[in-house]
Every structure is written in C-alpha cells, then in structure tokens.
C-alpha cells in the first residue's frame, strides 16, 4: 500500500517554485513600472533600450547647450545694440563739429564726450562676458552642440567691436576737417555693427529651428523608449494574480497530501 504520492508532491513543489519565480518577476515589474528591469528579463531589449536612453539624455543635454548658446547670442545682441547707440551719438557729434558755426572751445567739449563714447565702446568689447568668454572682444568660433552625436553642431563666429576693429582709434573732432573725416569712419563702423546684428539674428533663428527639431526628436524617441521599457501594469497584475492563485493551489495540494499521509500513519500506529 502507498501512503505518499511522491510524484504528485514533486510536481506540485516544482510548479510552486516556478510560480514563485513568476510572482517575483511580476512584483519587480509592478514595483518599478518597467518591463526591462534586469538584463535577464529581455537581454536584447536591454541593449536597445540603453542605446535609446543614451540618445535621449544626449539630446536633452544638447537642448540645454542650445539654450546656453541662445543666451550667449542675446548677450552679444545687447552689447552690439549698446555699441550702436554710442556710435549714433558719435555720429551726431561729428556732424555737429563739422558745422562751421562751432569754435575751437565747442569742438574741445565735443572731443571730451567723443572720448567717453569711444571708451564705452572698448569697455563693452572687453568686459561684456558670457561664462568668462568676451563675447564682443574675441574672434574665436563658438561651437554649439545641437544633437547627441559627433559633428552635430553649429559654429558661431564671435565678433570684435573695439575701436581698433571699428577703425575709430585716434578719432578727432578738433577741426572741421577731422570731423568730416570722422563722419565717414563712423558710418563704416555703424555698417559693421549692423552686419554683426544681422548675423547674430540669423544664428538665433538657426538655434530656434534646431531646438524645435530636437524637441520633436526627443519626444518621439522617449515615446519609443517608453513602449519598449514600460510595463503593462494591467497585464502584470493579471500575471501576478494568476501565478499567486496557482501557487496557493499547489500549496493546498501539498498540505493535503501531507495531511493524508499523516492521518494514515496515525491510524497504523493505533
């Protein structure tokens, strides 16, 4: 006579352990909200998801880079407009000094103001900075990363607006002839500043377009990443419930078999 049904118990124990593993996986997915929490969940999926994660983080950083670049251009735009306003006043003084109704004392006073204006132009060129970079005092390219991959950048050539660069060193209003000569030089300088402002505006528009493209790309990539890695919570809860029910059933079966064996042995020992 057989008391223990070892094959049934062994089968139930094995299935109980498998269900325990399924329950643990479901709990991992439910607790993290991820379908790929560990490499053993989806080895190939992990490789793809990590590349996508790197691209997403890279493009997000590129967006911050572009915002910084745009801010630097705003600083340059502000500085150029300030220089332009100083040049406009210098133009007024040169036209005034070219008038034959002024005497030497009048021109000396105009020269004092002109010197202050020129000093203001140099101060703007040398002291206006963005993160320690002299935005209007250097001729170096500013590379702005607009993507997450090598080579995805735009180059912005910084400009110099010193009086030397604008051709206004030793500007004089001391004579009518000096004033007439200075009018042409200031007109040339104003044209240079206007060209710089146009270039700055074009770069700002370029960054705006790249920002829009990066936002669309990041949103689409994030959506794909979510579809790959996010857990289907309803499905995972269903899997958890089914595995839990099966586990409870196997547990009851094992207890029932063990109880029967115990009862039979108890009878035989009477």
């Amino acid at each position: 006579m057989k008391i223990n049904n070892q094959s049934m118990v062994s089968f139930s124990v094995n299935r109980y352990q498998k269900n325990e593993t399924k329950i643990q996986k479901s709990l991992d997915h439910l607790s993290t909200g991820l379908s790929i929490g560990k490499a053993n969940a989806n080895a190939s999926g992990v490789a793809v998801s990590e590349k996508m994660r790197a691209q997403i983080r890279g493009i997000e950083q590129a967006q911050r880079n572009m915002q910084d670049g745009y801010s630097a251009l705003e600083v340059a735009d502000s500085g150029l407009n300030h220089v332009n306003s100083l040049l406009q006043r210098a133009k007024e003084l040169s036209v005034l000094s070219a008038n034959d109704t002024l005497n030497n004392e009048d021109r000396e006073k105009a020269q004092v103001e002109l010197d202050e204006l020129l000093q203001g132009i140099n101060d703007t060129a040398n002291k206006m900075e963005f993160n320690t970079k002299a935005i209007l005092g250097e001729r170096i390219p500013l590379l702005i990363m607009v993507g997450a991959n090598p080579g995805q950048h735009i180059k912005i050539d910084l400009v110099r607006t010193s009086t030397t660069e604008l051709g206004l060193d030793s500007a004089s209003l001391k004579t009518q002839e000096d004033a007439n000569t200075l009018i042409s030089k200031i007109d040339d300088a104003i044209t240079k500043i206007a060209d710089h402002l146009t270039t700055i505006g074009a770069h700002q528009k370029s960054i705006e377009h790249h920002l829009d493209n990066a936002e669309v790309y990041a949103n689409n990539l994030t959506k794909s990443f979510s579809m790959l890695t996010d857990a289907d919570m309803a499905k995972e809860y269903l899997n958890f419930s089914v595995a839990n029910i099966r586990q409870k059933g196997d547990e009851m079966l094992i207890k029932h078999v063990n109880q029967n064996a115990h009862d039979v042995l108890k009878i035989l020992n009477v």
Side-chain angles (χ1 to χ4, degrees):
M1 179 179 68
K2 293 183 178 179
I3 296 177
N4 293 321
N5 189 338
Q6 295 296 333
S7 62
M8 182 179 294
V9 173
S10 178
F11 174 78
S12 296
V13 169
N14 184 54
R15 190 168 63 180
Y16 179 92
Q17 293 173 341
K18 288 182 178 179
N19 285 325
E20 179 70 21
T21 301
K22 290 181 180 178
I23 289 174
Q24 187 57 51
K25 286 184 177 181
S26 293
L27 286 174
D28 288 342
H29 294 164
L30 289 169
S31 62
T32 63
L34 300 174
S35 62
I36 307 178
K38 299 178 180 178
N40 62 0
N42 186 344
S44 60
V46 168
V48 174
S49 67
E50 288 308 303
K51 289 181 180 178
M52 293 177 69
R53 190 195 305 275
Q55 281 290 336
I56 291 171
R57 295 187 64 172
I59 199 66
E60 287 175 346
Q61 182 59 55
Q63 287 175 295
R64 292 191 288 272
N65 289 349
M66 285 185 277
Q67 292 288 359
D68 288 342
Y70 196 91
S71 296
L73 290 175
E74 286 185 321
V75 172
D77 181 82
S78 177
L80 287 171
N81 276 298
H82 179 61
V83 170
N84 184 62
S85 68
L86 296 176
L87 289 174
Q88 295 293 343
R89 177 54 184 164
K91 174 68 179 287
E92 291 177 355
L93 290 175
S94 62
V95 172
L96 174 65
S97 297
N99 194 29
D100 206 21
T101 61
L102 268 66
N103 56 38
N104 291 336
E105 184 179 352
D106 294 329
R107 290 193 176 91
E108 287 178 1
K109 291 179 180 178
Q111 182 68 46
V112 171
E113 184 177 352
L114 176 64
D115 290 341
E116 292 178 352
L117 294 173
L118 297 177
Q119 184 59 50
I121 291 174
N122 284 327
D123 286 344
T124 302
N126 297 325
K127 297 178 181 179
M128 179 163 282
E129 296 182 345
F130 183 87
N131 194 25
T132 73
K133 289 184 178 294
I135 297 298
L136 300 179
E138 301 176 353
R139 275 193 178 277
I140 59 173
L142 192 65
L143 298 180
I144 305 297
M145 289 295 294
V146 297
N149 301 316
Q152 293 182 335
H153 63 258
I154 59 176
K155 185 176 76 169
I156 298 173
D157 291 322
L158 298 182
V159 299
R160 296 178 64 183
T161 60
S162 65
T163 53
T164 301
E165 190 70 23
L166 296 176
L168 296 177
D169 279 350
S170 302
S172 173
L173 295 176
K174 294 180 179 179
T175 68
Q176 186 180 18
E177 184 180 355
D178 288 343
N180 277 312
T181 301
L182 185 58
I183 290 175
S184 297
K185 290 183 178 181
I186 292 177
D187 284 341
D188 291 340
I190 290 175
T191 299
K192 286 183 180 180
I193 295 300
D195 290 341
H196 291 330
L197 283 168
T198 300
T199 301
I200 292 297
H203 284 315
Q204 286 178 314
K205 280 294 182 183
S206 177
I207 289 179
E208 288 174 1
H209 291 313
H210 281 295
L211 275 171
D212 290 341
N213 292 337
E215 183 176 0
V216 172
Y217 178 62
N219 288 340
N220 290 336
L221 196 59
T222 300
K223 182 178 180 181
S224 298
F225 179 75
S226 177
M227 293 175 64
L228 177 64
T229 61
D230 289 354
D232 185 334
M233 302 302 283
K235 181 180 178 181
E236 290 300 335
Y237 189 76
L238 178 60
N239 291 339
F240 169 78
S241 299
V242 170
N244 190 49
I245 291 172
R246 288 176 177 173
Q247 188 184 50
K248 295 297 184 183
D250 289 328
E251 185 178 352
M252 291 176 63
L253 178 60
I254 294 170
K255 288 182 178 179
H256 181 69
V257 171
N258 289 337
Q259 185 63 44
N260 287 343
H262 177 75
D263 292 343
V264 171
L265 290 173
K266 185 177 180 181
I267 293 171
L268 294 175
N269 289 332
V270 172

